[in-house]
Amino acid sequence: MTTSPRGVAILGSTGSIGTTALRVLQRHTDRFVVRALTAFSNAALLREQAEQFHPAFVGVVRNGGDPHAAWACGPSCLVDAARRDDVSIVLNAVVGAAGLDATLAAVRAGKRVALANKETLVMAGSLVLAACREGGGELVPVDSEHSAILQCLAGRTSGDVRRLVLTASGGPFRAWPSDRVAHATVADALHHPTWRMGRKITIDSATLANKALEVIEAHFLFDLDYDQIEVVVHPQSVVHSFVEFVDGSVLAQMGVPSMELPVLYALTHPERVPDTGVPPFDPVELSPLTFERVRSADFPALRLGVEAGRRGGAAPAVFNAANEQAVALFLEGRIPFGDIPRAIDAALAAHGGADGADRNALLAADAAARRHVKESFGC
Ligand code: NAD
Ligand code: MG
C-alpha cells in the first residue's frame, strides 16, 4: 500500500537542527514533503531553502534581510506555519522561549511536534501536556538523550522504569579547575568537544544548564519524578542515555554523535526506516567509553535547574528565562562566564515563587526574570 507523504513544517529551518533536518528530509522525499519553513532573520539562507524545497509557506520573524514579497513576516508566522492543514508534523527547532506558542498551537491542532526546542517544555510543561490532551497532538523528542530513552522504552510506560540516566559530555570545561572556568572566554565556551550546535545550546552545554533543561524535559516527556532522573558525564557522547527498568535491566542507545538519527526518528517514530545519516558504528574505534560523576559544585546551573523543576509553578520558566538572558549577556561580552549561574540563582530567588498557572502568568514570570538579570548583571 502506498501512502502520500506527510507534510512537515520546520520552524527554525536556518539553524543547526533546521539544516540537519533538511538534509535528512532530502533523503526521504517518498515519506515526507516540506510544506512550511520559518527563520528568524537569515533571509538569504531561507531563500535558498525555499528554492530547493518549494514549501507552500515561508515565514520570517524579522523583516530586515530582503524577504520575498510572498513570505509571511513577524513572530506570528511560527503559529501560522504550525497550524496549517497540509502539515502533520511540526519540527520545532527554534531556540528559546520564542517557540512556545507554536508548540501549543501545533499540539492543540492534533499534530506531532518533533521537539528540539526543549525550552518550550521546560517553561510550560504542564500547559503543553494539557494542550496535547486537549487537541490530540503528541510530542516526540529530537534531543539525542530523550530520543535514546524513547527508543529504549519501546512502548513501555513509566511504571516499568526505575531510573533514567542522562549522559552529558561535560562540555569544554569538564576537566578545567573551577577558578579557570569562572573566567572562561566566549571562544573557550563555544568550543564544544563533541557536538556542533547553535551558540546558545553550546553555552548551555558548557555551564551544564543544558542538562538541567534536559532533566526537566525528561520529567515531563516520560512522566517520572525528579528522584528517578540522574546525570552522568560521558565525554565521548556515544551512549546517548540509559534506562534502568524495575527488574534491574539497563538499556542504552548508542551511536556516533550525529543529530541526523534523532531528527529522523522523531519523524518516523515508532517506525524505523532505512537511512545512511549516522556514520558506521565501530566499538573498537570509539573505545574507551568512560563515565564520571558530575562536578556539581563547579557547575551549579545543573542543581539550580533541577531544584527549579522540583519547585514547579513558574520556577522552571524563571530558570529558563534567566539563563537565556544571562547567556545573551555573556555572548555580548558583558558578563563573565561565572555570572551565568549567579544570575540564574538571583532571578530564582526573586521570582521563582511566581504564579505559573497559565500562559500569561508564565510569560510574565519569564519577562520578570529577564528584567532582573539585565538590571542586576547587565550594566
Ligand atoms: P540555532 O541557533 O542554530 O538555530 C535556531 C533557529 O531558530 C534559527 O533558524 C533561527 O532563525 C530561529 N530563531 C531564533 N530565534 C528565534 C525567534 N525569536 N523566533 C523565531 N525563530 C527564531 O540553534 P540550534 O542549535 O539549531 O537549536 C535549536 C533548538 O534545538 C534549541 O532549543 C536547542 O536547545 C535544541 N537542540 C539543538 C541540538 C543541536 O545539536 N544543535 C541538539 C539538541 C537540542
Ligand atoms: Mg541533548
Side-chain angles (χ1 to χ4, degrees):
M1 194 184 73
T2 55
T3 48
S4 51
R6 298 182 76 183
V8 180
I10 304 183
L11 313 182
S13 66
T14 54
S16 165
I17 292 290
T19 52
T20 299
L22 287 172
R23 267 198 315 278
V24 170
L25 286 166
Q26 223 177 338
R27 299 196 293 269
H28 295 280
T29 48
D30 52 332
R31 285 170 190 274
F32 303 106
V33 55
V34 177
R35 297 285 192 207
L37 296 175
T38 77
F40 184 67
S41 63
N42 188 345
L45 180 55
L46 189 60
R47 185 182 291 265
E48 256 178 53
Q49 294 176 337
E51 280 167 7
Q52 187 180 353
F53 290 91
H54 306 289
F57 179 96
V58 181
V60 67
V61 173
R62 189 157 288 174
N63 184 2
D66 183 29
H68 193 282
W71 292 0
C73 292
S76 61
C77 74
L78 300 178
V79 169
D80 293 341
R83 273 208 196 116
R84 287 178 63 87
D85 289 340
D86 59 359
V87 164
S88 69
I89 304 176
V90 176
L91 173 64
N92 190 342
V94 167
V95 60
L100 176 63
D101 285 342
T103 296
L104 288 172
V107 292
R108 277 195 189 119
K111 303 186 193 294
R112 167 176 294 193
V113 173
L115 187 72
N117 178 224
K118 63 190 92 178
E119 295 91 343
T120 287
L121 197 56
V122 167
M123 74 181 287
S126 306
L127 215 63
V128 172
L129 295 186
C132 287
R133 287 191 295 271
E134 207 180 287
E138 62 171 346
L139 294 175
V140 184
V142 166
D143 225 346
S144 57
E145 297 77 0
H146 305 73
S147 177
I149 291 162
L150 183 68
Q151 293 177 60
C152 292
L153 285 174
R156 300 204 174 272
T157 56
S158 56
D160 290 327
V161 175
R162 183 183 290 163
R163 198 167 61 112
L164 305 179
V165 183
L166 303 184
T167 51
S169 70
F173 309 139
R174 177 180 64 85
W176 282 31
S178 50
D179 53 338
R180 196 172 156 212
V181 174
H183 301 286
T185 66
V186 171
D188 292 331
L190 285 176
H191 191 72
H192 195 278
T194 48
W195 297 98
R196 294 287 153 263
M197 311 180 284
R199 284 157 64 88
K200 191 259 178 183
I201 185 177
T202 304
I203 303 303
D204 288 353
S205 302
T207 58
L208 296 198
N210 182 51
K211 223 34 71 172
L213 296 172
E214 293 186 353
V215 168
I216 301 171
E217 186 186 7
H219 162 79
F220 285 114
L221 282 174
F222 304 114
D223 189 24
L224 291 166
D225 291 340
Y226 285 99
D227 288 339
Q228 293 174 281
I229 308 170
E230 292 175 21
V231 176
V232 69
V233 172
H234 169 47
Q236 298 82 17
S237 302
V238 169
V239 175
H240 299 312
S241 279
F242 300 93
V243 178
E244 183 179 271
F245 290 93
V246 285
D247 59 2
S249 178
V250 180
L251 297 190
Q253 187 265 340
M254 301 182 209
V256 176
S258 160
M259 288 307 292
E260 296 208 9
L261 175 68
V263 165
L264 176 64
Y265 190 72
L267 300 173
T268 65
H269 167 78
E271 273 184 70
R272 291 191 181 276
V273 302
D275 190 52
T276 53
V278 179
F281 182 74
D282 178 345
V284 175
E285 183 105 335
L286 294 169
S287 69
L289 299 182
T290 60
F291 301 91
E292 302 164 11
R293 306 266 171 239
V294 178
R295 287 167 52 201
S296 302
D298 296 328
F299 297 94
L302 175 58
R303 175 185 55 78
L304 291 168
V306 176
E307 280 173 10
R310 287 179 192 272
R311 189 169 176 185
V318 168
F319 170 79
N320 177 63
N323 179 55
E324 282 190 33
Q325 187 59 65
V327 169
L329 291 174
F330 172 68
L331 285 170
E332 288 164 17
R334 290 166 61 191
I335 63 172
F337 187 80
D339 269 5
I340 299 176
R342 258 181 236 118
I344 296 171
D345 199 7
L348 278 167
H351 300 287
D355 174 23
D358 56 29
R359 173 186 171 280
N360 289 346
L362 289 167
L363 290 181
D366 172 293
R370 287 173 203 262
R371 227 175 12 253
H372 189 91
V373 170
K374 259 196 264 184
E375 286 168 4
S376 311
F377 290 81
C379 40

